[in-house]
C-alpha cells in the first residue's frame, strides 16, 4: 500500500469550500453492525478490526490530514475489510480519500499509478470536461449526498462516473470508471433545515438553474461532513471499445453505414491502443450458395485491394474464398518480408502495398465462417502476439456485425427480386408452380400453350396504412431551410468576390440570390420553382465561380472552399434534408422489419398473401381465404385471428414509434388506419405490373376507396381522421365494424386502448359517400 497525499483538484480548478474532516466514527459504526450481523468467519475479521479502532479512536474525534499516517494500522484494517478477498494490490485500484474533497491519502500502487499518470501527464491528454463541468459535477454529487442523508431523497445522480481522455500522441480514447463510496461519511446540519417536499426537490433538480436554487436554500456552509470516502478506479477502455462495437451493430441507421463501420474500426484501434495498426472487415457473402464479392464497409481497404474485383476474377475469387471457408486458418506474421514466398506466395500483393505486420483472423457466427478480420501495419511499424490477444473480446461482436451485413445483403437481393421481378410469395407459390408445370407439360407434348391466368376467388381483403404525419410539409420545411442556407452562403461568397471581379454578371448573380431569398420567405416553393432554384445553385453559379477561380487566382481559395462545401453530400447545406431522410428511413425500416417478422408468424396460422408498399410510411394488403390454400380447411376463426392481429399490430406500431422517437434526428409521428371490408373479392396476377390486383367492377371499387381515404376529413370539420397515437377504423356498414368491436373491447379492457371511442361520420369523397369511422386512442 502507498501513503501519499494526492490532490486531484489541482488541474480541475473551481475549488469547493466545505466544512469537512477525516473521521473513523462512521466506519466504526459500520464495523459494529457487521460484528452483529455477520455469521461467517469474516466476523472475526470485523471483530478484530473493531477492537483496534476502539482502542485508538474516541467517538467524535476528527483527524487532520497531517496526522492521518499515525493510524496506518487502521487504514490497513479498512482495506482488509472493504476490498475483495481475492484481489491483490497490483490488480486493484483502491484508495481512501478526504470526505467530499478530491484528496487521496492512502491506496494501492495501481490506483496511484492511474491517478498520478493522468495528473502529472496532463499535457498528454485532451480532457473532455472543462473545470466548470467538473465543478458542477462535484456540486451535483454533494447535493445528491446531502438530500439522500437528510431528506431521504435520492436524486438521479450516479456516484460512479466514467472519465475519458484522448491521448494526444495516439489520438485514441481511454476510459476510466471511478466509483466513489460515501457510505462512511456523515453529514450534519449546523442549523435547522428548511422543510422541502419531494415535489419541490424534483422541480429544483429538473430546472436548469436547480443547483443555484439549492445553493441558496441549502448553502454548503450549513453542513459539516465527517468520515472517509472509498475510491475505486478501473481502466475500462477495452470494455468500452467492445461495447461500442455492440452499440454500432444495434443502432446502425440507414444511410449511415460508412460512419458506423468507421466507428467500429476506431473502436478496434482503441482496444489495442495503437493508432498505427489498421483493420479491415471482409464479409463472405453468397449468391446461390456461391461466394461473391461484398463491398467495402470499413477499414483501410487492403483486403479488398488484394482480394477484390479489381485484382481477382469472380471465378478466381470464388475458388479462393470457398477454399478458405472450407479450411479457415488464422495467419500472423510480425514481418511478412521474412516469410517464405514458396509457402505464402499470396503475400506478394500485401508486400507490394507496403504492409509489414499482418494478421488474418477468421470470424465465426453460429459455427460458420462469416468473414475475415484483417489487421496490419505499414512499413516501419509492427505488432506481436500480445496485441492479437487483445482482440479476443471483440471477435463475437464483430461476428454478429458481419452476420448482420450478410443478412442485409441477402435481404437486399431478395427485395430486388420481389420489387423488380416477381410478386410471388410462399403462400401463392403453389399456384405459380402449377401454371409453370402446365406450361412445361404442353411444351413437352408439343401442345398449344395455355393462356392461363393466376387468380384467387372469394378471398377476404385486409388493408392497413401507417403514414408519416405531415411528411410533405416536413420535406418542404427541410428543403426551404437548406436552400436558404445555401443561398446565404452563396451571397456571402459573391459579396467577397466583388473586389476581385467587377463584372455585371456578379451583380446579376447577387440580384438572383436576393430574389430567390424573397421567394423562399414568401411561402412554399412549387416543383418548378424548386427545380429552377437548384439549377441556379448547382449549375449556373457553379460554372461562373469556376470561371472566376481560373481567371482570378487570388479568389481561387475562397471559391474552392465554397465549392467543396456545396459538393459534399453530407455538407451543411443538406443537413435538414438528410436528418429528415434518416428519420423517415428509421421509421420505415422499423415498421417494415416488424411486419416482415409478423408476416412469417401469420403464415403459421393460415397461409395468406401479404404485400407491403413503401410510401411515406408503409401500407399493406392481406388476402386470405380457402382458395389461397385449398388443402387446408378455412374457417371464420382464421378471420377473427386476423382481425385481432390487425388491431394489435397497429397498437404495437404506435408504441414502437414512441420508443423510437428519442433516436430520430427529426421528431416525426405516424398515423394508423384500417379499412374494413368484410366481403370477399377476387384477385388475379397481372404479369405486366408483376403484382396481384382486384377483379370485377365491385371489387375495383374496394381498391378505389383505399386510394382516397388516407387524408379524409371528419364531416363538417377540417380535422383529419388520422391522428398520431390514435387508431382509425373506416367502414361503410355497421355490420362490418361489429366484427371488430369485441376485439376493440378486449384491447380496452387489457389497457392497450383507451376506454373511450369516437364514432365519426366522414366527408364525401369523389364517387364515395356514407363512410364512417371508429377512432380510439392507443395507450
Amino acid at each position: 500500500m502507498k501513503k501519499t497525499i494526492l490532490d486531484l483538484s489541482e488541474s480541475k480548478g473551481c475549488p469547493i469550500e466545505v466544512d469537512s474532516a477525516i473521521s473513523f466514527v462512521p466506519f466504526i459504526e459500520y464495523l459494529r453492525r457487521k460484528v452483529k450481523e455477520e455469521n461467517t468467519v469474516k466476523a472475526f475479521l470485523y471483530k478484530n478490526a473493531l477492537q483496534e479502532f476502539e482502542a485508538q479512536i474516541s467517538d467524535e474525534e476528527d483527524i487532520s490530514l497531517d496526522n492521518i499516517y499515525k493510524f496506518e494500522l487502521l487504514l490497513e484494517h479498512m482495506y482488509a475489510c472493504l476490498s475483495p478477498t481475492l484481489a491483490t494490490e497490483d490488480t486493484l485500484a483502491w484508495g481512501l480519500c478526504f470526505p467530499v474533497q478530491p484528496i487521496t491519502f492512502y491506496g494501492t500502487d495501481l490506483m496511484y499509478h492511474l491517478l498520478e499518470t493522468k495528473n502529472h501527464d496532463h499535457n498528454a491528454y485532451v480532457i473532455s470536461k472543462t473545470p466548470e463541468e467538473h465543478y458542477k459535477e462535484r456540486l451535483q454529487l454533494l447535493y445528491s449526498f446531502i438530500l439522500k442523508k437528510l431528506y431521504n431523497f435520492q436524486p438521479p445522480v450516479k456516484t460512479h462516473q466514467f472519465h475519458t481522455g484522448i491521448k494526444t500522441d495516439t489520438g485514441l480514447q481511454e476510459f476510466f470508471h471511478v466509483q466513489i463510496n460515501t457510505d462512511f461519511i456523515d453529514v450534519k446540519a449546523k442549523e435547522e433545515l428548511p422543510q422541502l417536499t419531494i415535489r419541490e426537490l424534483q422541480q429544483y433538480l429538473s430546472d436548469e438553474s436547480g443547483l443555484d436554487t439549492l445553493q441558496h436554500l441549502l448553502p454548503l456552509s450549513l453542513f459539516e461532513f465527517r468520515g472517509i470516502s472509498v475510491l475505486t478506479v478501473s481502466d475500462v477502455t477495452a470494455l468500452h471499445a467492445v461495447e461500442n462495437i455492440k452499440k454500432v451493430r444495434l443502432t446502425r441507421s440507414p444511410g449511415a453505414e460508412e460512419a458506423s463501420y468507421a466507428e467500429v474500426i476506431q473502436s478496434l484501434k482503441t482496444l489495442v491502443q495503437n493508432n498505427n495498426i489498421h483493420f479491415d472487415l471482409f464479409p463472405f457473402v453468397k449468391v446461390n450458395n456461391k461466394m461473391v464479392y461484398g463491398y467495402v464497409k470499413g477499414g483501410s481497404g487492403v483486403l479488398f485491394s488484394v482480394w477484390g474485383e479489381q485484382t481477382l476474377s469472380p471465378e478466381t475469387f470464388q475458388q479462393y474464398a470457398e477454399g478458405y471457408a472450407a479450411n479457415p486458418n488464422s495467419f500472423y506474421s510480425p514481418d511478412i518480408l521474412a516469410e517464405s514466398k514458396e509457402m505464402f506466395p499470396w503475400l506478394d500483393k500485401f508486400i507490394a502495398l507496403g504492409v509489414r505486420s499482418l494478421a488474418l483472423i477468421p470470424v465465426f457466427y453460429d459455427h460458420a465462417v462469416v468473414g475475415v478480420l484483417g489487421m496490419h501495419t505499414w512499413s516501419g511499424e509492427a505488432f506481436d502476439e500480445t496485441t492479437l490477444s487483445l482482440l479476443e473480446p471483440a471477435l463475437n461482436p464483430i461476428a454478429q456485425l458481419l452476420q448482420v451485413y450478410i443478412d442485409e445483403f441477402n435481404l437486399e437481393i431478395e427485395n430486388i427480386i420481389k420489387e423488380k421481378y416477381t410478386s410471388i410469395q410462399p403462400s401463392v407459390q403453389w399456384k405459380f408452380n402449377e401454371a409453370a408445370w402446365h406450361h412445361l407439360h404442353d411444351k413437352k407434348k408439343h401442345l398449344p400453350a395455355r393462356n392461363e391466368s393466376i387468380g384467387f376467388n372469394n378471398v377476404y381483403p385486409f388493408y392497413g396504412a401507417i403514414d408519416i404525419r405531415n411528411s410533405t410539409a416536413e420535406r418542404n420545411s427541410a428543403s426551404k431551410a437548406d436552400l436558404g442556407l445555401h443561398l446565404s452562403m452563396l451571397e456571402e461568397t459573391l459579396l467577397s468576390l466583388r473586389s476581385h471581379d467587377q463584372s455585371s454578371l456578379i451583380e446579376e448573380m447577387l440580384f438572383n440570390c436576393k430574389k430567390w431569398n424573397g421567394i423562399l420567405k414568401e411561402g412554399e416553393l412549387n416543383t418548378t420553382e424548386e427545380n429552377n432554384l437548384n439549377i441556379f445553385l448547382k449549375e449556373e453559379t457553379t460554372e461562373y465561380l469556376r470561371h472566376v477561380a481560373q481567371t482570378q487566382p487570388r479568389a481561387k481559395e475562397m471559391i474552392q472552399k465554397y465549392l467543396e462545401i456545396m459538393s459534399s453530400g453530407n455538407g451543411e447545406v443538406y443537413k435538414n434534408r438528410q436528418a429528415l431522410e434518416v428519420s423517415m428511413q428509421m421509421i420505415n425500416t422499423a415498421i417494415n422489419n416488424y411486419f416482415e417478422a409478423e408476416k412469417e408468424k401469420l403464415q403459421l396460422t393460415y397461409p395468406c398473401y401479404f404485400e407491403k408498399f413503401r410510401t411515406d410510411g408503409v401500407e399493406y394488403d392481406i388476402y386470405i381465404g380457402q382458395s389461397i390454400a385449398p388443402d387446408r380447411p378455412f374457417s371464420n376463426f382464421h378471420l377473427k385471428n386476423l382481425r385481432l392481429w390487425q388491431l394489435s399490430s397497429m397498437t404495437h406500431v404506435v408504441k414502437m414509434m414512441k420508443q423510437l422517437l428519442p433516436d430520430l434526428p427529426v421528431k416525426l409521428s405516424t398515423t394508423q388506419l384500417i379499412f374494413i371490408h368484410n366481403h370477399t373479392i377476387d384477385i388475379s396476377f397481372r404479369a405486366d405490373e408483376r403484382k396481384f390486383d382486384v377483379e370485377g367492377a365491385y371489387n375495383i371499387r374496394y381498391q378505389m376507396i383505399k386510394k382516397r381515404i388516407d387524408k379524409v376529413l371528419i364531416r363538417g370539420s377540417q380535422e383529419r381522421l388520422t391522428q398520431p397515437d390514435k387508431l382509425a377504423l373506416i367502414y361503410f356498414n355497421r355490420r362490418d365494424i361489429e366484427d371488430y368491436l369485441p376485439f376493440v373491447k378486449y384491447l380496452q379492457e387489457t389497457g392497450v386502448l383507451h376506454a373511450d371511442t369516437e364514432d365519426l361520420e366522414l366527408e364525401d369523397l369523389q364517387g364515395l359517400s356514407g363512410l364512417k369511422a371508429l377512432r380510439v386512442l392507443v395507450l
Side-chain angles (χ1 to χ4, degrees):
M1 302 297 288
K2 194 169 183 179
K3 301 181 295 181
T4 302
I5 296 174
L6 180 62
D7 188 349
L8 298 174
S9 65
E10 291 177 359
S11 61
K12 307 290 193 300
C14 303
I16 298 177
E17 297 296 332
V18 290
D19 179 2
S20 61
I22 299 173
S23 172
F24 288 115
V25 172
F27 185 71
I28 292 172
E29 292 300 321
Y30 165 80
L31 287 176
R32 288 170 179 161
R33 291 194 303 272
K34 296 300 287 185
V35 168
K36 292 180 181 179
E37 298 169 359
E38 188 64 49
N39 296 320
T40 68
V41 293
K42 290 183 73 176
F44 294 102
L45 174 66
Y46 297 131
K47 187 175 180 180
N48 183 47
L50 180 59
Q51 289 173 351
E52 291 290 344
F53 274 92
E54 289 180 337
Q56 297 190 45
I57 301 297
S58 61
D59 287 347
E60 308 303 329
E61 179 181 353
D62 291 347
I63 300 166
S64 68
L65 194 58
D66 294 335
N67 294 328
I68 188 62
Y69 297 124
K70 293 179 181 180
F71 304 96
E72 183 179 357
L73 179 61
L74 301 186
L75 299 179
E76 288 185 12
H77 275 291
M78 288 191 72
Y79 174 68
C81 291
L82 298 177
S83 62
T85 306
L86 296 178
T88 59
E89 292 182 28
D90 58 339
T91 61
L92 178 65
W94 182 97
L96 299 176
C97 304
F98 203 89
V100 299
Q101 293 286 7
I103 301 173
T104 303
F105 54 81
Y106 182 78
T108 62
D109 290 346
L110 179 58
M111 187 203 69
Y112 274 101
H113 172 72
L114 291 176
L115 296 180
E116 288 176 335
T117 299
K118 285 296 289 287
N119 209 37
H120 296 158
D121 199 21
H122 183 72
N123 293 331
Y125 285 88
V126 177
I127 305 301
S128 58
K129 293 181 181 177
T130 65
E132 291 75 17
E133 288 172 330
H134 277 286
Y135 176 78
K136 182 178 179 181
E137 189 177 90
R138 286 187 58 205
L139 270 183
Q140 287 175 331
L141 288 173
L142 265 176
Y143 278 105
S144 170
F145 177 68
I146 291 170
L147 296 177
K148 180 181 178 181
K149 290 282 188 177
L150 301 181
Y151 285 92
N152 196 29
F153 174 73
Q154 179 64 64
V157 177
K158 296 179 180 178
T159 57
H160 64 92
Q161 298 174 0
F162 291 98
H163 293 269
T164 179
I166 301 175
K167 290 281 283 185
T168 54
D169 58 341
T170 66
L172 298 172
Q173 285 185 312
E174 289 186 327
F175 295 90
F176 296 91
H177 177 257
V178 179
Q179 174 73 46
I180 305 169
N181 188 336
T182 58
D183 291 346
F184 310 113
I185 301 176
D186 285 338
V187 57
K188 295 180 182 177
K190 300 176 183 179
E191 302 172 12
E192 185 176 351
L193 292 172
Q195 295 294 321
L196 297 174
T197 65
I198 298 296
R199 180 171 294 181
E200 288 175 317
L201 292 172
Q202 288 175 332
Q203 182 180 350
Y204 295 147
L205 292 169
S206 62
D207 190 46
E208 185 70 26
S209 59
L211 274 177
D212 295 334
T213 305
L214 282 176
Q215 284 181 284
H216 176 72
L217 291 172
L218 303 171
L220 293 178
S221 59
L222 184 61
F223 306 98
E224 63 175 35
F225 302 87
R226 298 294 183 268
I228 295 178
S229 298
V230 180
L231 182 69
T232 308
V233 182
S234 307
D235 185 341
V236 291
T237 302
L239 177 63
H240 260 264
V242 173
E243 287 300 316
N244 195 50
I245 296 173
K246 295 178 181 178
K247 179 183 174 184
V248 168
R249 177 179 64 86
L250 295 171
T251 60
R252 284 164 26 313
S253 58
E257 286 90 350
E258 185 176 342
S260 297
Y261 279 90
E263 197 171 341
V264 170
I265 298 302
Q266 193 63 26
S267 295
L268 290 171
K269 292 188 174 188
T270 299
L271 188 60
V272 300
Q273 280 295 292
N274 190 331
N275 211 18
N276 295 320
I277 295 178
H278 303 277
F279 294 90
D280 288 282
L281 300 175
F282 194 92
F284 285 161
V285 294
K286 296 180 180 181
V287 172
N288 294 330
N289 210 32
K290 295 179 180 179
M291 295 282 192
V292 297
Y293 298 115
Y295 303 98
V296 179
K297 285 290 184 180
S300 66
V302 161
L303 294 187
F304 286 88
S305 298
V306 174
W307 298 336
E309 54 191 321
Q310 302 299 324
T311 307
L312 302 178
S313 68
E315 294 75 19
T316 305
F317 170 80
Q318 180 185 327
Q319 179 184 352
Y320 285 0
E322 291 182 355
Y324 181 83
N327 187 27
N329 293 315
S330 297
F331 172 84
Y332 164 69
S333 173
D335 187 357
I336 60 175
L337 291 171
E339 299 296 336
S340 167
K341 291 186 177 182
E342 290 76 18
M343 187 176 297
F344 304 108
W346 49 270
L347 284 176
D348 286 344
K349 293 186 175 65
F350 288 98
I351 294 171
L353 292 170
V355 173
R356 183 183 177 187
S357 290
L358 177 66
L360 302 174
I361 306 168
V363 181
F364 296 88
Y365 181 84
D366 198 17
H367 306 294
V369 64
V370 291
V372 175
L373 172 61
M375 178 179 178
H376 76 273
T377 59
W378 303 114
S379 299
E381 296 286 341
F383 59 83
D384 55 25
E385 293 93 334
T386 306
T387 307
L388 272 176
S389 65
L390 297 175
L391 291 176
E392 183 63 32
L395 292 182
N396 190 45
I398 290 293
Q400 293 172 335
L401 188 65
L402 289 180
Q403 183 60 45
V404 167
Y405 171 74
I406 292 170
D407 292 341
E408 288 177 343
F409 178 88
N410 293 336
L411 182 61
E412 198 170 354
I413 293 290
E414 182 181 339
N415 287 341
I416 290 172
I417 293 171
K418 288 182 179 179
E419 178 185 349
K420 295 189 175 295
Y421 304 109
T422 83
S423 192
I424 301 173
Q425 295 182 13
S427 59
V428 296
Q429 178 78 49
W430 66 272
K431 193 75 172 178
F432 288 88
N433 293 343
E434 191 176 84
W437 157 240
H438 292 159
H439 178 82
L440 180 62
H441 174 271
D442 294 347
K443 182 179 178 181
K444 294 295 184 183
K445 295 291 185 180
H446 304 288
L447 299 173
R450 310 181 202 184
N451 187 19
E452 188 171 0
S453 64
I454 297 176
F456 300 93
N457 299 327
N458 299 319
V459 294
Y460 289 89
F462 289 80
Y463 172 76
I466 298 96
D467 188 40
I468 296 177
R469 182 72 162 172
N470 296 329
S471 57
T472 302
E474 291 285 354
R475 276 199 180 93
N476 289 336
S477 177
S479 182
K480 279 185 64 178
D482 287 341
L483 290 171
L485 177 61
H486 197 157
L487 282 169
S488 298
M489 296 178 74
L490 174 60
E491 185 174 0
E492 183 180 336
T493 303
L494 292 172
L495 287 171
S496 300
L497 288 175
R498 268 178 164 173
S499 59
H500 303 284
D501 185 9
Q502 305 294 327
S503 69
S504 300
L505 194 56
I506 196 170
E507 299 300 328
E508 191 256 351
M509 293 275 183
L510 282 167
F511 172 80
N512 283 332
C513 279
K514 293 176 181 177
K515 181 189 74 173
W516 281 115
N517 260 321
I519 294 173
L520 280 178
K521 291 175 181 177
E522 287 176 5
E524 305 294 345
L525 291 176
N526 60 41
T527 303
T528 302
E529 289 174 331
E530 187 169 347
N531 286 337
N532 289 338
L533 176 52
N534 280 315
I535 290 172
F536 171 71
L537 290 171
K538 295 180 179 179
E539 297 180 15
E540 296 178 14
T541 59
T542 300
E543 290 301 317
Y544 166 71
L545 290 173
R546 285 176 179 158
H547 166 73
V548 174
Q550 290 176 347
T551 58
Q552 303 289 341
R554 288 180 299 170
K556 184 174 182 180
E557 184 177 347
M558 179 197 315
I559 293 172
Q560 196 62 35
K561 181 179 178 182
Y562 166 81
L563 293 177
E564 285 176 2
I565 294 174
M566 298 307 118
S567 63
S568 171
N570 298 319
E572 188 74 10
V573 296
Y574 300 99
K575 67 176 184 179
N576 291 290
R577 282 170 287 187
Q578 280 191 334
L580 178 62
E581 188 62 29
V582 168
S583 297
M584 294 180 70
Q585 285 184 0
M586 288 175 67
I587 290 174
N588 283 329
T589 299
I591 296 172
N592 191 64
N593 290 343
Y594 170 71
F595 280 119
E596 277 296 320
E598 290 299 299
K599 180 174 74 173
E600 299 303 321
K601 296 177 186 176
L602 287 177
Q603 304 300 331
L604 298 176
T605 306
Y606 194 89
C608 58
Y609 184 81
F610 193 132
E611 187 174 24
K612 300 190 308 298
F613 310 93
R614 291 285 289 271
T615 55
D616 280 347
V618 175
E619 299 176 32
Y620 65 77
D621 275 319
I622 301 175
Y623 302 108
I624 190 171
Q626 187 67 73
S627 61
I628 297 282
D631 297 333
R632 293 183 59 174
F634 177 77
S635 73
N636 190 49
F637 292 106
H638 296 116
L639 291 178
K640 288 184 175 182
N641 179 68
L642 201 46
R643 288 167 186 148
L644 176 57
W645 172 87
Q646 200 175 20
L647 293 172
S648 300
S649 62
M650 286 297 192
T651 64
H652 183 85
V653 167
V654 174
K655 295 175 181 178
M656 188 168 61
M657 289 304 99
K658 287 186 177 180
Q659 293 172 352
L660 187 63
L661 188 61
D663 299 325
L664 298 178
V666 178
K667 306 307 177 188
L668 301 173
S669 58
T670 60
T671 60
Q672 294 67 225
L673 168 68
I674 292 173
F675 174 52
I676 301 172
H677 185 87
N678 283 348
H679 309 282
T680 59
I681 63 173
D682 300 336
I683 61 172
S684 63
F685 184 77
R686 295 187 57 174
D688 55 342
E689 296 185 7
R690 297 187 299 274
K691 70 174 187 176
F692 282 95
D693 208 347
V694 295
E695 288 289 339
Y698 177 77
N699 296 334
I700 291 172
R701 184 169 180 265
Y702 163 78
Q703 197 79 331
M704 179 182 66
I705 294 171
K706 291 192 310 178
K707 294 180 178 179
R708 296 182 182 176
I709 58 176
D710 61 329
K711 293 179 176 61
V712 67
L713 303 179
I714 297 173
R715 183 181 291 277
S717 76
Q718 293 301 309
E719 180 186 351
R720 289 260 294 269
L721 169 65
T722 54
Q723 297 291 333
D725 299 336
K726 291 187 177 183
L727 173 57
L729 289 78
I730 296 181
Y731 61 95
F732 265 114
N733 298 311
R734 185 68 188 179
R735 61 178 178 272
D736 291 337
I737 193 67
E738 284 176 354
D739 290 330
Y740 280 79
L741 291 179
F743 305 121
V744 171
K745 186 175 181 181
Y746 161 70
L747 293 175
Q748 288 173 324
E749 291 178 349
T750 53
V752 176
L753 296 176
H754 195 277
D756 296 332
T757 57
E758 301 173 86
D759 289 299
L760 306 167
E761 292 189 3
L762 306 181
E763 67 172 352
D764 292 342
L765 301 175
Q766 182 182 359
L768 296 172
S769 61
L771 283 173
K772 301 177 179 62
L774 178 77
R775 191 167 68 179
V776 59
L777 177 69
V778 178
L779 297 177

